Amino acid sequence: MIGRTKEIRVLEEAFDSGRPEFVAVYGRRRVGKTYLIKETFGDRLTFSYTGAFHCSTKTQLSYFHEALQDQGLEKVAVPQTWAEAFRLLKQLIIESASKRKVVFLDELPWMDAPRSGFVSAFEHFWNGWGASRKDLLLIICGSSTSWIINKVFRNKGGLHNRVTRNIPLSPFSVRECEEYAESLGLGFSRNEILEGYMVMGGIPLYWSKLDKGKSLAQNVNDIFLAENGELRYEFNDLYSSIFTHPEKYIKIIECLSTKKTGMTRADIIRNTGIESNGKFSEMLEDLIQCGFVRKYCHTSKKVRDALYQLVDCYTLFYYQFVRNAYGTDENYWLKILPTPAYHTWCGLAFERVCLLHTRQIKSALGISGILANIFSWHIAKTEEHPGVQIDLLIDRADNVVSLCEMKYAPNGYVMTAAEADKINTRMRVYSMYKPSKKGLQLVLITSNGTSNKGKKVNIHRELTADCLFEL
């Protein structure tokens, strides 16, 4: 298995704890939750069931009954309610000869059809029986991360505070994608791995679709952009499987896709027309928990002025290219590669990959052990200065602010005089607003190094994309 060392350790600790364990595994769709559980436990699973998407309670109970019988329960009638179904599950667990009973309920949200009584039956199963069984390890997960958050973590009834361990499963890092690509025999260079990440992020299922007989560009074209591509309609499938009513979530996502540095809560409300209330706050939190959005606030702003920024690589790729690719040339992606639109996207996407790997950037700067606030910063034009935007600032506890300039250039970055002037302006303007006790360090992060030294700018540290590939 690629990566997941920490998550496997938590699961094994739960298995060996000798007490009742209720583990929730959550994260965005396609990130590998089911694979993690099944690869970790294999034949140690006492019972495993995967809920069926959009089916009636009667059909769901029939499938659940079939799984019980296939996995050792004696012949019994099909349960008519979830309360009966969980009584049968208790019977299967009691009859199991395994010392540690491991029950895995996958796609749990899909079992909760309207008026099914699933949640109350599940609560009773755990609180009234499972929580007292020292031999029981219950694991739940599902693609509808918002359901897990709202019905389990935010539950105010019988499931409140019942989860003993939670595992938020994140996408792969660039390094893990490189290892996965090697295991698939793709033969990609680091440039291709990096660009693959710019398109797909670290979503294992997307990477698993790549054909080793094709270049990365051919794969992207055929999988995501061709009319018959396997993931051509992934965007709608993704959001509808995670959120029961995805329309408002997509409205927020679409709004955030228009401003790369992010928006305040008030900005999003103004631009979407969504009502400002507790439900809206929950939607923002759901998007954060699912890994689509990040929330950040820098030291000169109050918490209420925090920015929400879209950081999911695939979603950004969708809005830039996939959404508008209907009815286009079958080799659309291959033909767009030499265009200015492609090169502009590369620059923005590389910045996003860097933002997702700030831990590796801190390590390369030798400041892993130093507390730091990481954010983007922008300010409007005034009489004293032009408006500027800085995409990555690392405000360090050792009284230094690292201002990071990120440049994507596969053939080596050449700093022009115009770009040098822009960087010097950003440094000058930010210096007017940073705390006076803080020093300012310019860090240049390029995809493949520089072809000149940019002598018109005082660069304190230079990093390349290789640093992002570190563990």
Side-chain angles (χ1 to χ4, degrees):
M1 189 185 298
I2 305 298
R4 310 309 192 200
T5 305
K6 179 182 176 181
E7 292 82 2
I8 292 170
R9 183 174 67 250
V10 172
L11 290 170
E12 292 292 358
E13 286 173 354
F15 183 86
D16 295 330
S17 72
R19 58 178 181 267
E21 294 277 3
F22 181 0
V23 180
V25 182
Y26 62 100
R28 61 154 286 175
R29 190 186 187 217
R30 315 289 207 186
V31 82
K33 300 180 294 294
T34 302
Y35 184 82
L36 169 67
I37 304 303
K38 292 193 171 181
E39 285 295 303
T40 299
F41 291 109
D43 58 10
R44 291 186 289 172
L45 289 171
T46 305
F47 177 71
S48 174
Y49 175 68
T50 301
F53 186 50
H54 281 184
C55 71
S56 67
T57 299
K58 182 178 179 180
T59 302
Q60 195 82 248
L61 288 168
S62 176
Y63 291 154
F64 192 85
H65 171 260
E66 183 181 338
L68 287 166
Q69 303 240 279
D70 288 345
Q71 295 175 65
L73 187 67
E74 62 184 33
K75 289 190 175 181
V76 293
V78 176
Q80 300 302 302
T81 65
W82 276 112
E84 290 180 25
F86 280 111
R87 280 197 292 272
L88 295 179
L89 176 57
K90 287 192 286 187
Q91 183 180 333
L92 176 68
I93 293 169
I94 292 168
E95 292 174 356
S96 170
S98 301
K99 184 177 179 181
R100 186 62 156 166
K101 329 291 187 185
V102 184
V103 174
F104 176 37
L105 299 180
D106 195 10
E107 300 298 1
L108 192 78
W110 293 351
M111 303 178 209
D112 184 28
R115 298 176 297 281
S116 66
F118 174 79
V119 173
S120 59
F122 179 64
E123 287 177 356
H124 182 70
F125 165 74
W126 181 254
N127 292 333
W129 187 79
S132 62
R133 298 277 308 198
K134 293 183 179 180
D135 60 350
L136 180 59
L137 165 56
L138 171 66
I139 306 167
I140 65 166
C141 76
S143 296
S144 181
T145 306
S146 63
W147 189 98
I148 300 286
I149 293 167
N150 290 310
K151 295 293 184 74
V152 179
F153 295 147
R154 294 176 185 156
N155 189 287
K156 294 179 174 61
L159 292 178
H160 178 69
N161 231 12
R162 292 296 187 263
V163 172
T164 58
R165 303 171 196 256
N166 66 80
I167 301 176
L169 198 62
S170 300
F172 280 165
S173 65
V174 169
R175 169 65 176 272
E176 288 166 333
C177 287
E178 181 179 49
E179 292 176 2
Y180 191 28
E182 289 174 356
S183 74
L184 296 172
L186 297 175
F188 287 172
S189 66
R190 280 199 162 178
N191 275 350
E192 289 177 297
I193 297 294
L194 189 61
E195 190 164 330
Y197 205 94
M198 288 154 60
V199 172
M200 301 177 286
I203 305 304
L205 183 129
Y206 297 167
W207 286 83
S208 73
K209 302 296 182 184
L210 301 181
D211 184 340
K212 65 181 180 182
K214 299 177 181 177
S215 68
L216 175 68
Q218 289 173 315
N219 272 299
V220 170
N221 189 85
D222 295 350
I223 295 170
F224 293 101
L225 292 155
E227 283 299 324
N228 61 347
E230 187 172 354
L231 296 175
R232 180 67 175 84
Y233 304 99
E234 168 66 5
F235 181 84
N236 289 331
D237 292 344
L238 174 63
Y239 285 89
S240 63
S241 70
I242 295 176
F243 306 112
T244 306
H245 301 289
E247 297 81 11
K248 289 185 178 179
Y249 288 96
I250 292 176
K251 211 170 184 180
I252 294 171
I253 287 293
E254 186 166 352
C255 176
L256 290 176
S257 73
T258 64
K259 192 166 184 180
K260 69 171 185 171
T261 55
M263 295 181 176
T264 65
R265 187 179 190 277
D267 289 336
I268 300 169
I269 290 169
R270 184 170 55 254
N271 284 279
T272 61
I274 298 175
E275 187 178 354
S276 176
N277 53 28
K279 180 60 180 175
F280 178 73
S281 298
E282 285 186 7
M283 286 191 289
L284 289 176
E285 185 61 29
D286 290 346
L287 289 168
I288 293 168
Q289 292 288 348
C290 293
F292 295 114
V293 170
R294 76 164 181 139
K295 177 182 179 181
Y296 69 92
C297 184
H298 56 83
T299 53
S300 64
K301 295 287 185 180
K302 297 178 181 178
V303 173
R304 68 170 179 267
D305 297 317
L307 293 175
Y308 296 86
Q309 182 182 36
L310 180 59
V311 291
D312 182 64
C313 294
Y314 166 74
T315 299
L316 288 157
F317 175 71
Y318 169 82
Y319 277 110
Q320 184 69 33
F321 296 109
V322 181
R323 182 174 61 166
N324 301 318
Y326 291 95
T328 56
D329 190 288
E330 63 179 8
N331 291 316
Y332 170 75
W333 184 244
L334 298 173
K335 291 184 177 180
I336 209 170
L337 296 182
T339 66
Y342 167 78
H343 292 297
T344 299
W345 168 77
C346 281
L348 297 175
F350 179 65
E351 290 173 4
R352 200 75 62 187
V353 175
C354 290
L355 289 174
L356 293 170
H357 290 77
T358 52
R359 180 178 61 80
Q360 287 83 355
I361 292 172
K362 282 185 65 182
S363 177
L365 292 173
I367 57 172
S368 294
I370 298 175
L371 184 67
N373 188 21
I374 297 170
F375 55 91
S376 302
W377 187 84
H378 64 277
I379 193 162
K381 179 181 178 181
T382 70
E383 292 181 358
E384 297 178 329
H385 59 72
V388 302
Q389 179 172 303
I390 301 168
D391 294 308
L392 179 57
L393 282 166
I394 305 176
D395 187 359
R396 299 153 42 173
D398 60 351
N399 287 329
V400 174
V401 178
S402 296
L403 188 157
C404 301
E405 286 286 333
M406 298 159 284
K407 306 296 180 183
Y408 185 78
N411 297 319
Y413 176 64
V414 178
M415 185 178 293
T416 63
E419 187 59 36
D421 288 342
K422 288 180 183 179
I423 294 174
N424 282 325
T425 298
R426 293 182 191 121
M427 295 281 287
R428 176 177 61 82
V429 173
Y430 182 69
S431 293
M432 297 169 64
Y433 292 90
K434 72 173 179 63
S436 57
K437 67 178 181 180
K438 296 271 188 178
L440 188 58
Q441 175 194 68
L442 176 62
V443 179
L444 179 64
I445 307 172
T446 63
S447 58
N448 292 77
T450 55
S451 294
N452 68 352
K453 293 301 179 182
K455 292 181 180 179
K456 294 184 179 181
V457 177
N458 184 21
I459 299 171
H460 301 97
R461 292 291 303 274
E462 285 191 42
L463 305 176
T464 69
D466 284 340
C467 77
L468 308 180
F469 287 81
E470 297 301 316
L471 288 175

